[in-house]
Amino acid sequence: MNNNLLLEFLSEKYISLINNHQLFNLIKNIAISCKKISSILDKGNLNDIFGKNNKINVQGETQTKLDIIANDIIIHENNCIGSLSGLASEEMEAFYKIPDNYKTGDYLLLFDPLDGSSNIDVNISVGTIFSILKINRKINNKEIIINDFLQPGIKQIAAGYAIYGPQTNFVISLGKGVHNFTLNKETSEWILTNEFMKIPKYTNEFSINSSNSRYWDKCIYNYVQDCLKGSDGPLSKNYNMRWTGSMVADVHRIMTRGGIFLYPWDSRNPSIPGKLRLMYEANPMGFLVEQSGGIASNGSKRILEIVPKELHQRTSVILGSSDEVSKLLISYINTY
Ligand code: AHG
């Protein structure tokens, strides 16, 4: 195994990063935030951190104590480094503007501080997802506005996630491939363990919460039925199924060994396009999946081309191994 460290490796691979102190520092501090969150999670309820916070977030979901702790860590570690003009989080209703007494920078950080947080109490992997955008206009007096954040996913400068599981990994792309680093908890260093992650084109593993099957549209319903028929059905192969309830864990599995992940629109709440958040979950994961050779779609459109209308916009998500996702997308084209 090599001993490539996160920042050294990225600076060597992406020469422009060495001269871009703002972006370099931002990645450095996001990685520090993830180490801190990891170390808090390691102690579990020894720190009395499990359970609800008794507040409902902007998504209408009950926050856990750890949602708030992770959110505060990311803001605290990144707001005074001079790289950002604002942050937006799944856990905060409005975006966070860098306080007047701090230096501002050219970038915006969007994040889900603790994805899959309902899994914490039962010791299943959770994660932090982030997306970095650049402000695409000249701004005076630090006056960022909501429109600065509302950029489609193709505009992401970098995106990634940390997964807190049996190991803690930091997976990042700056737009030229995806790299995976593992936290050595003895030395507190992120060590490169997978350069240029590649999602296998073919898969026989699907990932969906099938308790919602009666609410799915007919394309999703028929596709999953075909998977269940296995080698006796039209897909002519047997499938395996996995669903953790943490997008980070399900996507990390797909990034590592392939698969298809689906959280589609369903008729439980027909006016909402899906459960997952475009800016904090679908865009960063879509960026990573495409950078690893996979496909990320909402059924009718590439996720990264969706032009957001609001910060907390939701979307349907179908992503993973290119051959498998393509098969399903063809049935969408033929049906609608
Ligand atoms: P949250 O960030 O609020 O914990 O939501 C988790 C997300 C995502 O990580 C996961 O794929 C999905 O919600 C699971 O939803 P279901 O419980 O509906 O299966």
Side-chain angles (χ1 to χ4, degrees), residues 20-29 74-87 96 98-109 134-135 139 142:
N20 186 339
H21 299 295
Q22 288 193 16
L23 188 58
F24 182 91
N25 284 335
L26 180 55
I27 293 170
K28 179 171 129 200
N29 281 275
I74 293 173
I75 291 180
H76 179 77
E77 290 298 327
N78 293 283
N79 70 354
C80 58
I81 61 174
S83 305
L84 294 172
S85 281
L87 298 92
Y96 174 98
I98 300 299
D100 289 341
N101 51 331
Y102 291 147
K103 202 167 162 250
T104 54
D106 300 337
Y107 294 94
L108 301 168
L109 177 61
K134 192 165 186 189
I135 300 169
I139 50 169
K142 305 179 174 186

Side-chain angles (χ1 to χ4, degrees), residues 255-318:
M255 297 286 294
T256 309
R257 71 178 188 207
I260 180 170
F261 170 94
L262 309 109
Y263 210 121
W265 168 91
D266 66 48
S267 63
R268 280 175 297 172
N269 204 337
S271 61
I272 294 177
K275 174 179 177 181
L276 300 177
R277 275 61 47 144
L278 176 65
M279 310 291 281
Y280 316 112
E281 294 168 321
N283 270 343
M285 292 312 205
F287 188 75
L288 295 166
V289 164
E290 285 198 2
Q291 285 293 322
S292 319
I295 296 178
S297 168
N298 68 355
S300 59
K301 198 171 185 164
R302 186 179 167 208
I303 295 270
L304 300 188
E305 288 178 2
I306 298 172
V307 179
K309 294 194 177 66
E310 54 189 19
L311 215 41
H312 297 289
Q313 186 165 327
R314 293 175 189 251
T315 181
S316 180
V317 175
I318 301 167

